[in-house]
Amino acid sequence: MNIKRAKEEIKNTIEAYLLKDDFGEYVIPAVRQRPVLLMGPPGVGKTQIMEQVARECKIGLVSYTITHHTRQSAVGLPFIKEKDYGGSRYSVTEYTMSEIIASVYERMERTGIREGILFIDEINCVSETMAPMMLQFLQCKTFGNQRVPEGWIIVAAGNPPEYNKSVRDFDVVTLDRVKRLDVEADYPVWKEYAYRERLHGAVISYLDIRRNHFYRVETTVDGVLFATARGWEDLSQILYVYERLEKPVDAQVVGQYIQFPKIARDFANYLELYYKYHRDYRVDEVLAGNPSPQAISKLHFAEFDERFAVMGLLLSRLSEDFRDSWLEDAFVTELFGRLKALGQKLSGSGGGGEPAEAGGEEGAETASVSVAVRIRKERLLAEERFERDRAAGQLDRAAEQTGRRLISWLGKMEGTSNFEEVRASFTKEADFRQSLIDGTAKKLECAFDFLEAAFGEGQELILFVTELTAGFFSAWFIRENGCDRYYKYNRGLLFAERQKAIHEQIEDAKDKMTGAGLG
């Protein structure tokens, strides 16, 4: 299965394991809650989906890479305890609490979240002395004599033997006690993630053309050569930074992340063309509605790879605006909710648009103090909630950015004496949000103008619409704000897909008839 389906399976498992009956007991008792064993190639996203699952299920997450631990840190240290058995006193060996189990309790105390996931990575790559402990962990949910707290679900991840020489096979007894999910690399699923995480446009457009280069592992006389999803994502980050620093990126730089020389050289060559197309076509001028006639003519007669690269450039630039619009909308929406609640509190205390109980200057002063005090309390509350959610791993990068902006905005408003000033400041934020959306909508229309001028109403427009549909932020923007030409070409895409499906059904029917001797 792909990583997206694996994520859904893990979420379903968590919901099932944490379901309680009318008496507050888990419907599936802990002894029947099989640990999830996630098996798949390295760098495919196993660790990242655990962070996403914890956030979306609003539960805790404690994550360990077990190969970094010794037997003592995982199991605990032995100590001698005196006990009475049958009237006689004996010295008995017990163990201190495992560092891993202790981390679960610490997470519960720090965040107040009582249920969660204990994620153990590379579980089948442990040393010989650790192997029995891992089997005990999967079978009995204990480290030494310490049990994983109730409400905490075990998810373990490992690599198949073809990717790691240190892999140890699990026996049937262990495998019969786990819920195993086998994951494979899947580019279309990863591409959805890549759009949402704003990976570099060159990476996405290159892999669209060279999909067989997305995930490759080969063993040669020179060693293991590989290109992984993790490698492409890390390469994307360094591309952005090198662009800001105006540093060149060649095959040697690419090869530090994509350790498959042939692929690294191919991408480096493509990247050089990608930057060349950016200069030749002047994407910012295109999106401003000022494309040159030479750029339109050049694209019209270009080869497929060049056409695809240029569309990738347009999408990459538009994606920045789609994402900025989404972030601004999220901030303004959050701010509106907070200020609405704050306004209601102030109205009740005489600090909002309502007159205070005391009259004259005394009433005005009371209202002023009330506004300042309430805003300060709201800022402190926002800070407390932000730190708690961040400690619990409940914030992704976008939510963290929105939270920081909210705290900063409320901090700037603390000296405000009148709630009308707060409203006026919010109106400026709302107006900026609308101007950002309007500007992005205009750029999208300019992109359609340019592509129609180059291709008419050809298949390139349908391909462009397909990419807009695949992007999280572009799909959100169009859903919230509309785009007539998107809907026009999307209907053409749906019609083409329906025709293709009908044609395939007819061909299947013909094959069945022929097989039955009716053709």
Side-chain angles (χ1 to χ4, degrees):
M1 66 178 67
N2 60 47
I3 198 72
K4 185 177 182 179
R5 174 64 189 277
K7 176 183 172 182
E8 289 302 314
E9 287 295 327
I10 293 171
K11 288 180 66 175
N12 292 341
T13 300
I14 289 170
E15 290 180 17
Y17 285 179
L18 297 184
L19 183 66
K20 295 181 180 179
D21 60 22
D22 295 337
F23 301 100
E25 300 293 332
Y26 292 110
V27 173
I28 301 177
V31 70
R32 294 299 174 198
Q33 293 183 5
R34 290 189 172 202
V36 176
L37 179 59
L38 196 59
M39 298 294 291
V44 78
K46 299 187 292 294
T47 303
Q48 287 177 326
I49 65 165
M50 299 316 306
E51 297 171 357
Q52 296 169 16
V53 167
R55 284 196 298 267
E56 292 170 18
C57 293
K58 300 189 182 304
I59 58 177
L61 173 67
V62 172
S63 179
Y64 274 92
T65 300
I66 202 63
T67 51
H68 299 170
H69 285 265
T70 64
R71 185 179 186 278
Q72 287 74 25
S73 63
V75 179
L77 294 172
F79 66 92
I80 305 300
K81 188 172 183 179
E82 299 294 325
K83 289 190 176 183
D84 291 325
Y85 294 118
S88 299
R89 197 163 186 78
Y90 297 90
S91 296
V92 179
T93 301
E94 292 196 3
Y95 289 87
T96 58
M97 180 175 285
S98 159
E99 175 190 330
I100 296 174
I101 300 296
S103 294
V104 174
Y105 284 108
E106 288 171 1
R107 180 57 60 90
M108 287 193 289
E109 290 184 7
R110 189 164 65 250
T111 65
I113 298 176
R114 312 304 299 178
E115 298 173 325
I117 300 168
L118 175 55
F119 178 61
I120 305 296
D121 199 8
E122 298 184 7
I123 194 167
N124 60 342
C125 300
V126 295
S127 64
E128 186 175 349
T129 57
M130 282 283 287
M133 300 301 103
M134 292 302 97
L135 296 179
Q136 178 194 33
F137 172 64
L138 290 176
Q139 292 177 15
C140 308
K141 302 174 186 174
T142 60
F143 276 118
N145 57 355
Q146 304 294 329
R147 183 172 293 277
V148 176
E150 190 177 46
W152 281 75
I153 295 157
I154 296 170
V155 180
N159 300 322
E162 60 265 31
Y163 298 104
N164 196 321
K165 295 179 180 178
S166 303
V167 163
R168 295 177 177 276
D169 291 330
F170 291 121
D171 55 32
V172 175
V173 175
T174 301
L175 291 175
D176 195 36
R177 286 175 167 81
V178 300
K179 183 173 182 176
R180 177 168 176 161
L181 305 178
D182 290 301
V183 183
E184 297 177 350
D186 187 312
Y187 175 68
V189 168
W190 181 83
K191 185 178 175 181
E192 294 179 24
Y193 167 82
Y195 271 127
R196 181 155 188 169
E197 293 300 311
R198 197 175 151 264
L199 266 63
H200 199 284
V203 170
I204 297 175
S205 58
Y206 171 78
L207 292 176
D208 272 330
I209 299 170
R210 307 277 196 275
R211 293 195 176 197
N212 61 324
H213 289 177
F214 167 58
Y215 202 102
R216 290 274 294 276
V217 179
E218 291 184 11
T219 302
T220 70
V221 292
D222 297 321
V224 179
L225 310 179
F226 57 91
T228 69
R230 182 191 294 127
W232 289 114
E233 183 169 4
D234 291 345
L235 175 61
S236 170
Q237 295 298 317
I238 204 69
L239 287 176
Y240 278 126
V241 175
Y242 271 36
E243 287 173 358
R244 290 184 61 183
L245 297 174
E246 297 183 350
K247 293 184 179 294
V249 176
D250 56 17
Q252 290 185 340
V253 175
V254 176
Q256 295 163 18
Y257 298 88
I258 306 302
Q259 299 182 46
F260 201 119
K262 179 182 176 182
I263 297 176
R265 288 193 300 270
D266 193 46
F267 177 75
N269 292 335
Y270 176 84
L271 185 64
E272 189 175 337
L273 286 172
Y274 185 86
Y275 289 141
K276 180 180 181 297
Y277 296 149
H278 195 285
R279 294 190 299 271
D280 290 351
Y281 288 95
R282 300 177 182 178
V283 171
D284 288 334
E285 292 183 14
V286 169
L287 295 180
N290 301 310
S292 68
Q294 293 84 355
I296 294 172
S297 177
K298 179 177 170 59
L299 187 60
H300 177 76
F301 293 104
E303 297 293 335
F304 173 77
D305 283 10
E306 184 170 342
R307 294 182 177 194
F308 207 92
V310 172
M311 279 194 285
L313 283 166
L314 291 172
L315 287 163
S316 179
R317 184 63 187 83
L318 284 168
S319 293
E320 296 178 16
D321 291 273
F322 291 140
R323 186 175 187 273
D324 289 345
S325 297
W326 183 86
L327 287 171
E328 194 64 31
D329 183 77
F331 171 66
V332 170
T333 301
E334 177 71 16
L335 186 59
F336 175 77
R338 295 296 182 95
L339 295 183
K340 182 179 179 181
L342 182 60
Q344 292 172 346
K345 293 175 184 177
L346 290 169
S347 295
S349 63
E354 303 295 327
E357 290 182 7
E361 293 182 3
E362 183 181 350
E365 183 178 351
T366 301
S368 174
V369 172
S370 180
V371 170
V373 169
R374 288 289 186 181
I375 291 178
R376 176 174 171 77
K377 286 183 178 180
E378 193 67 27
R379 195 259 302 168
L380 292 173
L381 181 63
E383 283 184 347
E384 180 183 350
R385 187 175 302 169
F386 176 81
E387 292 300 333
R388 184 191 64 211
D389 290 345
R390 188 175 64 164
Q394 297 296 306
L395 302 177
D396 58 18
R397 281 186 291 182
E400 188 169 334
Q401 183 175 338
T402 299
R404 290 187 187 281
R405 284 190 64 189
L406 176 67
I407 293 168
S408 176
W409 193 91
L410 290 171
K412 293 175 181 177
M413 290 292 105
E414 282 188 28
T416 303
S417 59
N418 190 308
F419 194 64
E420 288 304 320
E421 295 179 29
V422 178
R423 286 196 182 100
S425 184
F426 170 77
T427 300
K428 290 181 181 178
E429 295 289 352
D431 290 344
F432 176 72
R433 165 191 167 276
Q434 191 58 51
S435 67
L436 194 60
I437 288 173
D438 291 343
T440 302
K442 183 178 179 181
K443 289 180 181 179
L444 180 58
E445 291 296 329
C446 289
F448 274 110
D449 289 340
F450 176 66
L451 293 175
E452 285 179 349
F455 306 124
E457 296 186 358
Q459 293 297 310
E460 289 82 1
L461 272 298
I462 292 179
L463 181 60
F464 184 66
V465 164
T466 302
E467 295 302 301
L468 289 172
T469 305
F472 172 81
F473 297 111
S474 54
W476 168 85
F477 184 88
I478 293 169
R479 183 174 65 249
E480 294 295 319
N481 303 286
C483 177
D484 291 340
R485 280 191 283 186
Y486 168 86
Y487 294 125
K488 170 186 173 182
Y489 290 109
N490 194 47
R491 283 194 295 270
L493 174 62
L494 294 174
F495 178 72
E497 289 178 345
R498 284 197 297 270
Q499 279 192 319
K500 181 180 178 182
I502 293 170
H503 179 72
E504 289 175 350
Q505 291 174 1
I506 292 172
E507 293 300 316
D508 287 344
K510 287 181 179 178
D511 291 341
K512 290 178 181 178
M513 292 174 66
T514 301
L518 300 174

